[in-house]
Amino acid sequence: MRIFLEFEKPVAELEAKIEELRRMVGDDSISVADEVAKLSEKADRQLRTIYGKLTAWQKTQVARHPDRPKASDYISALITDFTPLAGDRAFADDAAVLGGLGRFRGRSVMVLGTEKGSDTESRVKHNFGMAKPEGYRKARRLIELAGRFGIPVLCFVDTSGAYPGIDAEARGQAEAIARSIEACLGAPVPVVAAVIGEGGSGGAVALASGDAVLMLEHAVYSVISPEGCAAILWKDSAQAPAAAEAMRITAEDLKRLKLIDGIIPEPVGGAHRDPQAAIAAIAAAIDAALQPLLKLDGATLISRRRAKFLEMGREALA
Amino acid sequence: MNWLTEYVRPKIRTLFGQRDVPDNLWGQCSACQQMVFNAELDKNLRVCSHCGHHMRVKATQRLSWTFDGGKHTRIDLPKPPVDPLKFRDSKRYVDRLKDYREKTHLDDAIVVAHGTIGGHRAVVAVMSFDFMGGSMGSAVGEGIVAAAKLAVLQDAPLIVFTASGGARMQEGTISLMQMPRTVIATQMVKEKGLPFITVLTDPTTGGVTASFTMLGDIQIAEPGAEIGFAGARVIEQTVREKLPEGFQRSEYLLSHGILDLVVKRAEMNATLGRLIGLLRVKQLDAA
């Protein structure tokens, strides 16, 4: 069963009608085939129109879509010889942060990803993609390991944010995030990050302080959730759509503000409609970002990365 | 570079003692509710004489208490684009900024100065909670970076007094990017062999905690300060448990290994001076 978002309702109705026609009549009926083709075309056109002008809040819904491909989907499709590496060597292994060595197009890479899970069981296992200090400490350990061996780092970012819990605070959530950012910035190897769904605040930037930060077309990257921002500034979390708009969290806006480096196009109707197409697009974009970085030595990478971040914020929207 | 040329001709705004005279003689401690004599409170560095509560203070006050004899030179900070997103909630962000500038006589939520502490040259940045809850946007990020550059230029340690509710939401993802930007500032100071010391004051939360604040070579807090990443209310809603006694307070973080020291306000100058002296062995040997 396909899950439709509220603004996809016209498409949902058309697709339901198509489904109904197909079920009612045998597939040998030509007139039905014509009708189905016509409806399909209409549904496709609708989908294109809707997805051509998604609002920031609608994109937030797409970014959080339960069927949207997760970090683990990209890793299993794009990384061969993937060998997961666990643990922060101090307290625990955090399943919200996937990490390990593998090959991307034949080249050895260190892969990190915040994983939301795709069904109830895996969502609970991965804590809904909300990492604890041990997750960020694992990330830092693996980034440093990659640095020692000259291996590029690829990060798939998809998190509503770092886990807000008593245990996380007690074990130094803030310190763990700060150290992970520090590790990204100090890595003498290329660090390429792709925001594939939600880029939620400090929990996202911990894995996205890289040379190339890419975003899927309908991903969002934000300092606080639209609901959270609305609750604080509008004193009403129902104002989330307005907050999403005002905070400029879409890939397009962030590219204009020069806070990200590239936008990866999604298939019509979002990555969840055609995961294979999304996977292929991400692979091409990561490769294109990685190639020029591979030619640079460690010191050059670090100083260019610094310069890039230090320049941020000089750009204003007209 | 703009701020550097401005720094060569600094505005000297050395402060001796209090500027603001309270209009009433008596105040009330927000912690123990006891009445306190305002003149006495100022003499006590705004620490309650009944319960020892360290009240929130103005950034300019903090500067004069931190440096030897209160003497210091403030530097002008770079001015990034104002309201880059044309942000508006119930009020326009530009109007909000204007109000806070009038109210606090500050440009934004940070001031930077240099002077001596325990006889050692030092650069100090102080965040102001009075200015939009000390929230970190471009201006605060630029302030931290400028302070780091000044420390490198003066071959002096950098000390940052933090006070912040977190990121400046009105600057959207630009405010989030101040996390890596301020982390870069700490790297610039550290790779020159200079000490980076953070002093966490009430409150220090969110993205400010989770970036430069937690990267101090030494991390100090004032007693009883609220310090954390996530807000207590968010945590309570998430875990649906009662938060432990003293949760997210200085002493809690100290016992959990996240801070080096909890230091009373009256002892801050002496402690910082001593630490700088102890750390800067190389410099003293060379001299």
Side-chain angles (χ1 to χ4, degrees):
Chain A
M1 242 330 248
R2 178 167 275 154
I3 299 165
F4 286 97
L5 300 168
E6 205 181 301
F7 59 85
E8 294 177 320
K9 221 169 152 192
V11 180
E13 280 164 7
L14 284 169
E15 289 196 357
K17 223 180 271 175
I18 295 167
E19 211 37 46
E20 208 179 273
L21 275 174
R22 281 197 177 131
R23 231 179 307 126
M24 269 168 49
V25 194
D27 49 359
D28 52 352
S29 164
I30 290 165
S31 64
V32 169
D34 273 358
E35 186 66 8
V36 165
K38 230 166 57 192
L39 284 173
S40 298
E41 203 190 311
K42 199 172 164 194
D44 191 59
R45 237 181 305 130
Q46 280 272 16
L47 201 62
R48 257 172 223 284
T49 312
I50 292 169
Y51 271 78
K53 49 174 178 120
L54 292 180
T55 65
W57 178 241
Q58 287 168 336
K59 280 188 193 254
T60 307
Q61 309 304 306
V62 177
R64 293 173 182 170
H65 197 290
D67 293 338
R68 193 169 171 85
K70 304 296 186 294
S72 57
D73 297 313
Y74 293 108
I75 292 171
S76 60
L78 297 178
I79 308 296
T80 55
D81 285 351
F82 183 67
T83 310
L85 302 172
D88 68 346
R89 298 290 192 271
F91 180 76
D93 180 51
D94 186 347
V97 177
L98 305 174
L101 283 162
R103 287 181 192 282
F104 173 69
R105 299 196 168 174
R107 174 182 303 276
S108 202
V109 288
M110 183 65 81
V111 186
L112 290 165
T114 37
E115 172 64 29
K116 282 186 174 177
S118 45
D119 52 31
T120 307
E121 195 189 337
S122 63
R123 280 180 193 122
V124 170
K125 177 184 159 200
H126 296 290
N127 198 28
F128 303 87
M130 294 184 287
K132 294 181 180 181
E134 42 276 20
Y136 299 112
R137 289 185 178 128
K138 170 162 78 177
R140 174 194 171 197
R141 180 174 80 82
L142 297 184
I143 293 165
E144 286 174 356
L145 177 62
R148 278 185 52 221
F149 289 92
I151 298 166
V153 179
L154 306 184
C155 301
F156 296 95
V157 178
D158 187 17
T159 178
S160 58
Y163 181 65
I166 296 169
D167 53 341
E169 294 287 319
R171 289 196 296 276
Q173 184 71 294
E175 195 261 359
I177 292 171
R179 294 279 171 203
S180 184
I181 297 172
E182 187 186 41
C184 282
L185 291 169
V189 290
V191 178
V192 176
V195 182
I196 55 171
E198 269 186 294
S201 197
V205 82
L207 296 181
S209 299
D211 302 291
V213 179
L214 312 171
M215 272 177 82
L216 275 178
E217 189 182 345
H218 304 310
V220 289
Y221 193 6
S222 171
V223 67
I224 184 172
S225 71
E227 295 93 328
C229 177
I232 297 168
L233 293 184
W234 278 261
K235 318 266 181 254
D236 177 11
S237 57
Q239 292 296 317
E245 206 60 50
M247 286 198 294
R248 307 286 183 164
I249 61 178
T250 68
E252 201 184 333
D253 280 336
L254 297 176
K255 182 76 175 48
R256 275 171 63 206
L257 289 162
K258 297 196 180 160
L259 303 184
I260 62 160
D261 303 286
I263 301 174
I264 307 166
E266 291 192 30
V268 175
H272 58 282
R273 283 226 163 211
D274 189 352
Q276 289 316 310
I279 285 163
I282 280 214
I286 288 176
D287 195 47
L290 194 55
Q291 288 308 325
L293 296 172
L294 290 168
K295 296 187 182 78
L296 305 175
D297 63 51
T300 309
L301 281 166
I302 293 169
S303 72
R304 278 178 43 140
R305 197 180 298 143
R306 271 190 192 182
K308 184 186 85 158
F309 279 97
L310 289 179
E311 269 305 306
M312 286 181 185
R314 306 253 157 89
E315 211 71 27
L317 291 178
Chain B
M1 226 169 283
N2 192 29
W3 77 270
L4 262 183
T5 50
E6 279 167 319
Y7 154 66
V8 179
R9 297 176 278 103
K11 282 185 193 156
I12 314 258
R13 289 183 231 165
T14 310
L15 299 174
F16 296 97
Q18 287 333 123
R19 255 200 325 197
D20 307 77
V21 183
D23 37 25
N24 50 7
L25 281 173
W26 292 90
Q28 193 180 30
C29 172
S30 59
C32 69
Q33 315 301 330
Q34 295 248 43
M35 298 305 284
V36 275
F37 194 41
N38 261 327
E40 187 191 13
L41 195 55
D42 286 337
K43 217 167 56 198
N44 269 342
L45 312 178
R46 301 201 77 77
V47 174
C48 175
S49 52
H50 302 288
C51 71
H53 174 59
H54 282 53
M55 300 178 185
R56 292 172 186 174
V57 298
K58 288 198 167 91
T60 46
Q61 253 173 342
R62 181 82 68 182
L63 283 178
S64 56
W65 294 336
T66 304
F67 289 103
D68 298 341
K71 279 197 219 168
H72 61 274
T73 308
R74 253 174 81 182
I75 63 159
D76 283 339
L77 297 172
K79 293 180 174 50
V82 174
D83 191 13
L85 306 185
K86 307 277 172 267
F87 191 97
R88 170 178 208 144
D89 46 82
S90 57
K91 203 168 170 178
R92 290 195 308 164
Y93 176 40
V94 273
D95 293 335
R96 243 180 241 279
L97 281 174
K98 218 175 104 202
D99 291 351
Y100 277 103
R101 283 176 181 165
E102 274 165 25
K103 206 175 86 185
T104 62
H105 306 288
L106 299 173
D107 288 335
D108 209 293
I110 192 165
V111 294
V112 177
H114 60 100
T116 63
I117 299 174
H120 307 279
R121 227 182 7 242
V123 174
V124 175
V126 182
M127 297 185 74
S128 166
F129 191 74
D130 289 342
F131 196 103
M132 287 188 86
S135 54
M136 178 163 74
S138 261
V140 168
E142 288 284 0
I144 297 288
V145 172
K149 286 181 180 171
L150 182 61
V152 169
L153 200 74
Q154 296 205 343
D155 190 36
L158 173 61
I159 298 152
V160 185
F161 285 78
T162 59
S164 177
R168 177 89 44 96
M169 285 172 288
Q170 291 88 345
E171 293 186 21
T173 309
I174 294 173
S175 70
L176 185 62
M177 291 304 121
Q178 304 314 314
M179 294 176 70
R181 296 180 90 244
T182 56
V183 170
I184 291 169
T186 70
Q187 291 176 320
M188 297 190 311
V189 172
K190 287 179 182 176
E191 64 197 19
K192 294 289 178 192
L194 298 166
F196 173 56
I197 301 174
T198 49
V199 183
L200 290 72
T201 73
D202 185 57
T204 298
T205 61
V208 167
T209 318
S211 56
F212 65 93
T213 303
M214 281 293 151
L215 297 177
D217 292 311
I218 309 277
Q219 293 176 179
I220 303 172
E222 284 197 328
E226 183 190 342
I227 301 163
F229 176 64
R233 228 176 323 147
V234 175
I235 295 171
E236 227 161 9
Q237 282 163 8
T238 307
V239 300
R240 292 171 202 288
E241 274 177 60
K242 212 171 144 358
L243 301 177
E245 181 76 21
F247 180 64
Q248 289 188 323
R249 294 283 159 185
S250 303
E251 297 71 18
Y252 178 91
L253 272 83
L254 183 71
S255 74
H256 282 79
I258 296 162
L259 297 172
D260 289 287
L261 291 160
V262 174
V263 174
K264 288 183 185 141
R265 197 168 283 166
E267 290 156 21
M268 198 60 79
N269 165 277
T271 306
L272 289 171
R274 189 169 66 246
L275 283 169
I276 296 167
L278 288 166
L279 282 169
R280 301 210 71 191
V281 180
K282 279 190 227 160
Q283 187 206 33
L284 293 179
D285 285 351

